[in-house]
Amino acid sequence: MKARVTITLKPGVLDPQGKAIEGALADLGFADVASARQGKVIDLELSATDEAAARAEVGQMCEALLANTVVERYDIAILA
Amino acid sequence: MRSAIVVFPGSNREHDAARAIRLAGGEAPDLVWHTETELPDVDLVMIPGGFAHGDYLRAGAIAARSPIMRAVANHAERGGFVLGVCNGFQVLTEARLLPGALMRNACLTFICRPVGIRVERSSLFSWRYDKGAELVFPTAHHEGNYRADEETLRELEGEGRVVFRYTDNPNGSANDIAGIVNAKGNVLGMMPHPEDAVEAIHVCTDGLDLFRGLVGAAT
């Protein structure tokens, strides 16, 4: 089973990299961009076959290591 | 004072730290590899600067989950001194021994220059300085932008746990925070490098009194 964890900064947490991306897009003429936020994606291959069990296990991984919940939040998607 | 310096793959300030501790009158520190599960019997555990595990995932994240960090937490729990500098501060926040997080510098650049620091309060680590004293410490970091939620910031300020503040904030840190202690006051994390301001070849020797203070507090 494959799982994808998407980690993003919590709303309100300053994201200087997102700001830099915003600025670069504006420089390229993309005037429509109101805001850009940068995050990260971690793909996991698991031996679990049960989706609920996989989701619970990945949730524990996020809390233990993958996300710093002081400033980040995470979203878990089971891909296959 | 007996001390141990924890070394991770990618640590690079452990020898500066050891030299500063010896110059301040401490015994030569034991260097302890991150895979160890026990610390020697010491007064101070120092987490040095560097790029532990290449800053992969988040600065300090992998190091904070190392086997040795359980022993460091126990040492702190028993009231032992813990000092984390730069990457060491990042490790201590990731290990939740200190609140908050160190984010990418607001200016996005790596900062490598001396910065002004004001001593906000007396503590185990700062008692040899006058309150309000302005010091100069070198900095070298990319993720030094201290962030915590409003409630945590209020708690830190209310309990007087901000020990060092930037006089001219270089990295965007909330409340100009350069260094904080835990509630008990025995764990300090700071971004600037006191161990690199201890002898004539350095920009100044303002850092020496921090280590002398620890040596004095331990005896």
Side-chain angles (χ1 to χ4, degrees), chain B residues 130-161:
Chain B
D130 293 330
K131 185 167 181 286
E134 295 198 357
L135 315 173
V136 173
F137 288 160
T139 52
H141 62 252
H142 209 169
E143 277 95 12
N145 183 349
Y146 183 79
R147 292 281 132 191
D149 59 36
E150 285 301 320
E151 190 188 332
T152 304
L153 289 174
R154 267 198 304 275
E155 197 176 294
L156 287 172
E157 297 291 353
E159 295 173 3
R161 287 164 53 191

PDB file of all heavy atoms in Angstrom, chain B residues 130-161:
ATOM      1  N   ASP B 130      25.940  41.419  33.703  1.00  0.00           N
ATOM      2  CA  ASP B 130      24.985  42.369  34.262  1.00  0.00           C
ATOM      3  C   ASP B 130      23.702  42.284  33.449  1.00  0.00           C
ATOM      4  O   ASP B 130      23.745  42.139  32.223  1.00  0.00           O
ATOM      5  CB  ASP B 130      25.529  43.808  34.167  1.00  0.00           C
ATOM      6  CG  ASP B 130      26.744  44.010  35.058  1.00  0.00           C
ATOM      7  OD1 ASP B 130      26.822  43.330  36.107  1.00  0.00           O
ATOM      8  OD2 ASP B 130      27.608  44.834  34.710  1.00  0.00           O
ATOM      9  N   LYS B 131      22.572  42.418  34.143  1.00  0.00           N
ATOM     10  CA  LYS B 131      21.291  42.461  33.433  1.00  0.00           C
ATOM     11  C   LYS B 131      21.311  43.684  32.506  1.00  0.00           C
ATOM     12  O   LYS B 131      21.724  44.763  32.923  1.00  0.00           O
ATOM     13  CB  LYS B 131      20.148  42.563  34.444  1.00  0.00           C
ATOM     14  CG  LYS B 131      18.773  42.487  33.828  1.00  0.00           C
ATOM     15  CD  LYS B 131      17.723  42.264  34.913  1.00  0.00           C
ATOM     16  CE  LYS B 131      16.321  42.166  34.337  1.00  0.00           C
ATOM     17  NZ  LYS B 131      15.767  43.443  33.896  1.00  0.00           N
ATOM     18  N   GLY B 132      20.918  43.495  31.270  1.00  0.00           N
ATOM     19  CA  GLY B 132      20.916  44.601  30.321  1.00  0.00           C
ATOM     20  C   GLY B 132      22.236  44.760  29.571  1.00  0.00           C
ATOM     21  O   GLY B 132      22.326  45.584  28.653  1.00  0.00           O
ATOM     22  N   ALA B 133      23.246  43.971  29.942  1.00  0.00           N
ATOM     23  CA  ALA B 133      24.549  44.053  29.261  1.00  0.00           C
ATOM     24  C   ALA B 133      24.383  43.736  27.782  1.00  0.00           C
ATOM     25  O   ALA B 133      23.595  42.849  27.410  1.00  0.00           O
ATOM     26  CB  ALA B 133      25.536  43.091  29.900  1.00  0.00           C
ATOM     27  N   GLU B 134      25.110  44.447  26.936  1.00  0.00           N
ATOM     28  CA  GLU B 134      25.063  44.151  25.500  1.00  0.00           C
ATOM     29  C   GLU B 134      26.346  43.457  25.096  1.00  0.00           C
ATOM     30  O   GLU B 134      27.449  43.955  25.353  1.00  0.00           O
ATOM     31  CB  GLU B 134      24.818  45.438  24.705  1.00  0.00           C
ATOM     32  CG  GLU B 134      23.441  45.999  25.034  1.00  0.00           C
ATOM     33  CD  GLU B 134      22.907  46.994  24.030  1.00  0.00           C
ATOM     34  OE1 GLU B 134      23.634  47.323  23.070  1.00  0.00           O
ATOM     35  OE2 GLU B 134      21.759  47.434  24.209  1.00  0.00           O
ATOM     36  N   LEU B 135      26.198  42.283  24.492  1.00  0.00           N
ATOM     37  CA  LEU B 135      27.333  41.430  24.126  1.00  0.00           C
ATOM     38  C   LEU B 135      27.360  41.251  22.618  1.00  0.00           C
ATOM     39  O   LEU B 135      26.370  41.517  21.933  1.00  0.00           O
ATOM     40  CB  LEU B 135      27.169  40.044  24.770  1.00  0.00           C
ATOM     41  CG  LEU B 135      26.742  39.982  26.235  1.00  0.00           C
ATOM     42  CD1 LEU B 135      26.474  38.530  26.627  1.00  0.00           C
ATOM     43  CD2 LEU B 135      27.825  40.588  27.126  1.00  0.00           C
ATOM     44  N   VAL B 136      28.484  40.764  22.145  1.00  0.00           N
ATOM     45  CA  VAL B 136      28.589  40.405  20.725  1.00  0.00           C
ATOM     46  C   VAL B 136      28.959  38.929  20.638  1.00  0.00           C
ATOM     47  O   VAL B 136      29.937  38.485  21.231  1.00  0.00           O
ATOM     48  CB  VAL B 136      29.650  41.268  20.012  1.00  0.00           C
ATOM     49  CG1 VAL B 136      29.862  40.769  18.584  1.00  0.00           C
ATOM     50  CG2 VAL B 136      29.232  42.732  19.999  1.00  0.00           C
ATOM     51  N   PHE B 137      28.134  38.151  19.934  1.00  0.00           N
ATOM     52  CA  PHE B 137      28.418  36.735  19.685  1.00  0.00           C
ATOM     53  C   PHE B 137      28.358  36.492  18.176  1.00  0.00           C
ATOM     54  O   PHE B 137      27.477  37.043  17.500  1.00  0.00           O
ATOM     55  CB  PHE B 137      27.372  35.822  20.336  1.00  0.00           C
ATOM     56  CG  PHE B 137      27.433  35.730  21.844  1.00  0.00           C
ATOM     57  CD1 PHE B 137      26.327  35.285  22.552  1.00  0.00           C
ATOM     58  CD2 PHE B 137      28.577  36.062  22.553  1.00  0.00           C
ATOM     59  CE1 PHE B 137      26.357  35.189  23.942  1.00  0.00           C
ATOM     60  CE2 PHE B 137      28.620  35.960  23.936  1.00  0.00           C
ATOM     61  CZ  PHE B 137      27.504  35.523  24.633  1.00  0.00           C
ATOM     62  N   PRO B 138      29.242  35.634  17.664  1.00  0.00           N
ATOM     63  CA  PRO B 138      29.117  35.263  16.250  1.00  0.00           C
ATOM     64  C   PRO B 138      27.833  34.450  16.004  1.00  0.00           C
ATOM     65  O   PRO B 138      27.383  33.734  16.894  1.00  0.00           O
ATOM     66  CB  PRO B 138      30.344  34.381  16.005  1.00  0.00           C
ATOM     67  CG  PRO B 138      31.279  34.692  17.129  1.00  0.00           C
ATOM     68  CD  PRO B 138      30.410  35.036  18.298  1.00  0.00           C
ATOM     69  N   THR B 139      27.261  34.588  14.823  1.00  0.00           N
ATOM     70  CA  THR B 139      26.150  33.709  14.428  1.00  0.00           C
ATOM     71  C   THR B 139      26.507  33.050  13.107  1.00  0.00           C
ATOM     72  O   THR B 139      27.275  33.606  12.308  1.00  0.00           O
ATOM     73  CB  THR B 139      24.828  34.463  14.185  1.00  0.00           C
ATOM     74  OG1 THR B 139      25.088  35.530  13.273  1.00  0.00           O
ATOM     75  CG2 THR B 139      24.217  34.995  15.444  1.00  0.00           C
ATOM     76  N   ALA B 140      25.936  31.895  12.878  1.00  0.00           N
ATOM     77  CA  ALA B 140      26.119  31.171  11.610  1.00  0.00           C
ATOM     78  C   ALA B 140      24.941  30.223  11.460  1.00  0.00           C
ATOM     79  O   ALA B 140      24.980  29.086  11.937  1.00  0.00           O
ATOM     80  CB  ALA B 140      27.437  30.405  11.617  1.00  0.00           C
ATOM     81  N   HIS B 141      23.867  30.707  10.867  1.00  0.00           N
ATOM     82  CA  HIS B 141      22.702  29.826  10.729  1.00  0.00           C
ATOM     83  C   HIS B 141      21.788  30.245   9.578  1.00  0.00           C
ATOM     84  O   HIS B 141      21.798  31.384   9.145  1.00  0.00           O
ATOM     85  CB  HIS B 141      21.904  29.782  12.036  1.00  0.00           C
ATOM     86  CG  HIS B 141      21.334  31.114  12.452  1.00  0.00           C
ATOM     87  ND1 HIS B 141      21.821  31.827  13.515  1.00  0.00           N
ATOM     88  CD2 HIS B 141      20.304  31.852  11.963  1.00  0.00           C
ATOM     89  CE1 HIS B 141      21.116  32.946  13.649  1.00  0.00           C
ATOM     90  NE2 HIS B 141      20.198  32.997  12.718  1.00  0.00           N
ATOM     91  N   HIS B 142      21.011  29.272   9.146  1.00  0.00           N
ATOM     92  CA  HIS B 142      20.011  29.486   8.093  1.00  0.00           C
ATOM     93  C   HIS B 142      18.596  29.373   8.663  1.00  0.00           C
ATOM     94  O   HIS B 142      17.653  29.889   8.095  1.00  0.00           O
ATOM     95  CB  HIS B 142      20.205  28.441   6.984  1.00  0.00           C
ATOM     96  CG  HIS B 142      19.774  28.922   5.629  1.00  0.00           C
ATOM     97  ND1 HIS B 142      20.058  28.255   4.469  1.00  0.00           N
ATOM     98  CD2 HIS B 142      19.064  30.011   5.252  1.00  0.00           C
ATOM     99  CE1 HIS B 142      19.545  28.915   3.444  1.00  0.00           C
ATOM    100  NE2 HIS B 142      18.931  29.981   3.898  1.00  0.00           N
ATOM    101  N   GLU B 143      18.481  28.636   9.777  1.00  0.00           N
ATOM    102  CA  GLU B 143      17.183  28.443  10.422  1.00  0.00           C
ATOM    103  C   GLU B 143      17.282  28.918  11.866  1.00  0.00           C
ATOM    104  O   GLU B 143      17.468  28.118  12.779  1.00  0.00           O
ATOM    105  CB  GLU B 143      16.750  26.969  10.381  1.00  0.00           C
ATOM    106  CG  GLU B 143      16.083  26.552   9.092  1.00  0.00           C
ATOM    107  CD  GLU B 143      17.052  25.923   8.111  1.00  0.00           C
ATOM    108  OE1 GLU B 143      18.181  25.621   8.529  1.00  0.00           O
ATOM    109  OE2 GLU B 143      16.688  25.753   6.941  1.00  0.00           O
ATOM    110  N   GLY B 144      17.165  30.235  12.057  1.00  0.00           N
ATOM    111  CA  GLY B 144      17.297  30.785  13.404  1.00  0.00           C
ATOM    112  C   GLY B 144      16.119  31.633  13.816  1.00  0.00           C
ATOM    113  O   GLY B 144      16.144  32.303  14.848  1.00  0.00           O
ATOM    114  N   ASN B 145      15.099  31.583  12.999  1.00  0.00           N
ATOM    115  CA  ASN B 145      13.912  32.419  13.137  1.00  0.00           C
ATOM    116  C   ASN B 145      12.976  31.765  14.156  1.00  0.00           C
ATOM    117  O   ASN B 145      12.216  30.865  13.815  1.00  0.00           O
ATOM    118  CB  ASN B 145      13.290  32.522  11.742  1.00  0.00           C
ATOM    119  CG  ASN B 145      12.077  33.403  11.675  1.00  0.00           C
ATOM    120  OD1 ASN B 145      11.534  33.823  12.694  1.00  0.00           O
ATOM    121  ND2 ASN B 145      11.620  33.658  10.459  1.00  0.00           N
ATOM    122  N   TYR B 146      13.052  32.228  15.414  1.00  0.00           N
ATOM    123  CA  TYR B 146      12.307  31.570  16.484  1.00  0.00           C
ATOM    124  C   TYR B 146      10.815  31.842  16.365  1.00  0.00           C
ATOM    125  O   TYR B 146      10.394  32.989  16.243  1.00  0.00           O
ATOM    126  CB  TYR B 146      12.802  32.022  17.871  1.00  0.00           C
ATOM    127  CG  TYR B 146      12.090  31.279  18.978  1.00  0.00           C
ATOM    128  CD1 TYR B 146      12.478  29.978  19.309  1.00  0.00           C
ATOM    129  CD2 TYR B 146      11.003  31.831  19.643  1.00  0.00           C
ATOM    130  CE1 TYR B 146      11.804  29.258  20.287  1.00  0.00           C
ATOM    131  CE2 TYR B 146      10.325  31.125  20.624  1.00  0.00           C
ATOM    132  CZ  TYR B 146      10.724  29.840  20.933  1.00  0.00           C
ATOM    133  OH  TYR B 146      10.043  29.130  21.898  1.00  0.00           O
ATOM    134  N   ARG B 147      10.045  30.771  16.397  1.00  0.00           N
ATOM    135  CA  ARG B 147       8.584  30.865  16.268  1.00  0.00           C
ATOM    136  C   ARG B 147       7.917  30.047  17.358  1.00  0.00           C
ATOM    137  O   ARG B 147       8.359  28.938  17.670  1.00  0.00           O
ATOM    138  CB  ARG B 147       8.120  30.288  14.917  1.00  0.00           C
ATOM    139  CG  ARG B 147       8.548  31.087  13.720  1.00  0.00           C
ATOM    140  CD  ARG B 147       7.668  32.295  13.532  1.00  0.00           C
ATOM    141  NE  ARG B 147       8.490  33.475  13.327  1.00  0.00           N
ATOM    142  CZ  ARG B 147       8.026  34.717  13.350  1.00  0.00           C
ATOM    143  NH1 ARG B 147       6.747  34.936  13.585  1.00  0.00           N
ATOM    144  NH2 ARG B 147       8.827  35.724  13.165  1.00  0.00           N
ATOM    145  N   ALA B 148       6.864  30.588  17.943  1.00  0.00           N
ATOM    146  CA  ALA B 148       6.035  29.829  18.877  1.00  0.00           C
ATOM    147  C   ALA B 148       4.662  30.474  18.838  1.00  0.00           C
ATOM    148  O   ALA B 148       4.523  31.618  18.384  1.00  0.00           O
ATOM    149  CB  ALA B 148       6.613  29.901  20.281  1.00  0.00           C
ATOM    150  N   ASP B 149       3.639  29.737  19.296  1.00  0.00           N
ATOM    151  CA  ASP B 149       2.308  30.346  19.264  1.00  0.00           C
ATOM    152  C   ASP B 149       2.220  31.448  20.322  1.00  0.00           C
ATOM    153  O   ASP B 149       3.075  31.556  21.206  1.00  0.00           O
ATOM    154  CB  ASP B 149       1.205  29.280  19.415  1.00  0.00           C
ATOM    155  CG  ASP B 149       1.326  28.510  20.712  1.00  0.00           C
ATOM    156  OD1 ASP B 149       1.710  29.109  21.731  1.00  0.00           O
ATOM    157  OD2 ASP B 149       1.040  27.296  20.705  1.00  0.00           O
ATOM    158  N   GLU B 150       1.169  32.258  20.213  1.00  0.00           N
ATOM    159  CA  GLU B 150       1.026  33.437  21.086  1.00  0.00           C
ATOM    160  C   GLU B 150       1.061  33.061  22.558  1.00  0.00           C
ATOM    161  O   GLU B 150       1.663  33.746  23.382  1.00  0.00           O
ATOM    162  CB  GLU B 150      -0.288  34.167  20.757  1.00  0.00           C
ATOM    163  CG  GLU B 150      -0.233  34.962  19.458  1.00  0.00           C
ATOM    164  CD  GLU B 150       0.865  36.029  19.459  1.00  0.00           C
ATOM    165  OE1 GLU B 150       1.052  36.668  20.499  1.00  0.00           O
ATOM    166  OE2 GLU B 150       1.541  36.183  18.436  1.00  0.00           O
ATOM    167  N   GLU B 151       0.392  31.959  22.880  1.00  0.00           N
ATOM    168  CA  GLU B 151       0.306  31.542  24.277  1.00  0.00           C
ATOM    169  C   GLU B 151       1.705  31.193  24.817  1.00  0.00           C
ATOM    170  O   GLU B 151       2.072  31.580  25.933  1.00  0.00           O
ATOM    171  CB  GLU B 151      -0.630  30.328  24.367  1.00  0.00           C
ATOM    172  CG  GLU B 151      -0.996  29.955  25.781  1.00  0.00           C
ATOM    173  CD  GLU B 151      -1.764  28.635  25.829  1.00  0.00           C
ATOM    174  OE1 GLU B 151      -2.452  28.303  24.838  1.00  0.00           O
ATOM    175  OE2 GLU B 151      -1.655  27.948  26.858  1.00  0.00           O
ATOM    176  N   THR B 152       2.482  30.475  24.006  1.00  0.00           N
ATOM    177  CA  THR B 152       3.838  30.101  24.424  1.00  0.00           C
ATOM    178  C   THR B 152       4.709  31.335  24.595  1.00  0.00           C
ATOM    179  O   THR B 152       5.474  31.439  25.565  1.00  0.00           O
ATOM    180  CB  THR B 152       4.467  29.145  23.381  1.00  0.00           C
ATOM    181  OG1 THR B 152       3.600  28.014  23.227  1.00  0.00           O
ATOM    182  CG2 THR B 152       5.842  28.688  23.811  1.00  0.00           C
ATOM    183  N   LEU B 153       4.583  32.287  23.671  1.00  0.00           N
ATOM    184  CA  LEU B 153       5.370  33.523  23.776  1.00  0.00           C
ATOM    185  C   LEU B 153       5.008  34.289  25.047  1.00  0.00           C
ATOM    186  O   LEU B 153       5.880  34.776  25.756  1.00  0.00           O
ATOM    187  CB  LEU B 153       5.164  34.400  22.536  1.00  0.00           C
ATOM    188  CG  LEU B 153       5.801  33.902  21.230  1.00  0.00           C
ATOM    189  CD1 LEU B 153       5.378  34.794  20.074  1.00  0.00           C
ATOM    190  CD2 LEU B 153       7.318  33.855  21.343  1.00  0.00           C
ATOM    191  N   ARG B 154       3.702  34.351  25.330  1.00  0.00           N
ATOM    192  CA  ARG B 154       3.263  35.033  26.554  1.00  0.00           C
ATOM    193  C   ARG B 154       3.838  34.354  27.792  1.00  0.00           C
ATOM    194  O   ARG B 154       4.288  35.011  28.734  1.00  0.00           O
ATOM    195  CB  ARG B 154       1.727  35.038  26.640  1.00  0.00           C
ATOM    196  CG  ARG B 154       1.078  36.280  26.040  1.00  0.00           C
ATOM    197  CD  ARG B 154      -0.358  36.462  26.535  1.00  0.00           C
ATOM    198  NE  ARG B 154      -1.193  35.290  26.273  1.00  0.00           N
ATOM    199  CZ  ARG B 154      -1.817  35.085  25.107  1.00  0.00           C
ATOM    200  NH1 ARG B 154      -1.727  35.963  24.140  1.00  0.00           N
ATOM    201  NH2 ARG B 154      -2.555  33.998  24.932  1.00  0.00           N
ATOM    202  N   GLU B 155       3.841  33.025  27.755  1.00  0.00           N
ATOM    203  CA  GLU B 155       4.372  32.244  28.883  1.00  0.00           C
ATOM    204  C   GLU B 155       5.870  32.515  29.056  1.00  0.00           C
ATOM    205  O   GLU B 155       6.352  32.760  30.161  1.00  0.00           O
ATOM    206  CB  GLU B 155       4.119  30.767  28.585  1.00  0.00           C
ATOM    207  CG  GLU B 155       4.222  29.834  29.762  1.00  0.00           C
ATOM    208  CD  GLU B 155       3.842  28.415  29.320  1.00  0.00           C
ATOM    209  OE1 GLU B 155       2.662  28.196  28.962  1.00  0.00           O
ATOM    210  OE2 GLU B 155       4.728  27.538  29.319  1.00  0.00           O
ATOM    211  N   LEU B 156       6.614  32.480  27.938  1.00  0.00           N
ATOM    212  CA  LEU B 156       8.064  32.724  27.991  1.00  0.00           C
ATOM    213  C   LEU B 156       8.356  34.111  28.556  1.00  0.00           C
ATOM    214  O   LEU B 156       9.225  34.279  29.419  1.00  0.00           O
ATOM    215  CB  LEU B 156       8.679  32.604  26.587  1.00  0.00           C
ATOM    216  CG  LEU B 156       8.806  31.204  26.001  1.00  0.00           C
ATOM    217  CD1 LEU B 156       9.251  31.286  24.541  1.00  0.00           C
ATOM    218  CD2 LEU B 156       9.790  30.361  26.802  1.00  0.00           C
ATOM    219  N   GLU B 157       7.607  35.099  28.088  1.00  0.00           N
ATOM    220  CA  GLU B 157       7.836  36.474  28.540  1.00  0.00           C
ATOM    221  C   GLU B 157       7.387  36.637  29.991  1.00  0.00           C
ATOM    222  O   GLU B 157       8.087  37.236  30.806  1.00  0.00           O
ATOM    223  CB  GLU B 157       7.087  37.466  27.639  1.00  0.00           C
ATOM    224  CG  GLU B 157       7.555  37.481  26.188  1.00  0.00           C
ATOM    225  CD  GLU B 157       8.956  38.063  26.002  1.00  0.00           C
ATOM    226  OE1 GLU B 157       9.533  38.583  26.971  1.00  0.00           O
ATOM    227  OE2 GLU B 157       9.472  37.984  24.862  1.00  0.00           O
ATOM    228  N   GLY B 158       6.222  36.071  30.300  1.00  0.00           N
ATOM    229  CA  GLY B 158       5.656  36.219  31.640  1.00  0.00           C
ATOM    230  C   GLY B 158       6.534  35.587  32.711  1.00  0.00           C
ATOM    231  O   GLY B 158       6.648  36.089  33.823  1.00  0.00           O
ATOM    232  N   GLU B 159       7.153  34.460  32.348  1.00  0.00           N
ATOM    233  CA  GLU B 159       7.998  33.744  33.310  1.00  0.00           C
ATOM    234  C   GLU B 159       9.448  34.187  33.227  1.00  0.00           C
ATOM    235  O   GLU B 159      10.317  33.613  33.884  1.00  0.00           O
ATOM    236  CB  GLU B 159       7.889  32.222  33.064  1.00  0.00           C
ATOM    237  CG  GLU B 159       6.488  31.683  33.333  1.00  0.00           C
ATOM    238  CD  GLU B 159       6.325  30.219  32.931  1.00  0.00           C
ATOM    239  OE1 GLU B 159       7.315  29.595  32.502  1.00  0.00           O
ATOM    240  OE2 GLU B 159       5.190  29.728  33.040  1.00  0.00           O
ATOM    241  N   GLY B 160       9.719  35.195  32.397  1.00  0.00           N
ATOM    242  CA  GLY B 160      11.088  35.693  32.283  1.00  0.00           C
ATOM    243  C   GLY B 160      12.055  34.648  31.760  1.00  0.00           C
ATOM    244  O   GLY B 160      13.185  34.541  32.224  1.00  0.00           O
ATOM    245  N   ARG B 161      11.619  33.871  30.766  1.00  0.00           N
ATOM    246  CA  ARG B 161      12.476  32.794  30.270  1.00  0.00           C
ATOM    247  C   ARG B 161      13.266  33.173  29.021  1.00  0.00           C
ATOM    248  O   ARG B 161      13.992  32.356  28.474  1.00  0.00           O
ATOM    249  CB  ARG B 161      11.635  31.540  30.041  1.00  0.00           C
ATOM    250  CG  ARG B 161      11.242  30.890  31.376  1.00  0.00           C
ATOM    251  CD  ARG B 161      10.111  29.907  31.232  1.00  0.00           C
ATOM    252  NE  ARG B 161      10.398  28.919  30.217  1.00  0.00           N
ATOM    253  CZ  ARG B 161       9.484  28.063  29.738  1.00  0.00           C
ATOM    254  NH1 ARG B 161       8.251  28.105  30.190  1.00  0.00           N
ATOM    255  NH2 ARG B 161       9.822  27.198  28.814  1.00  0.00           N
TER     256      ARG B 161
END
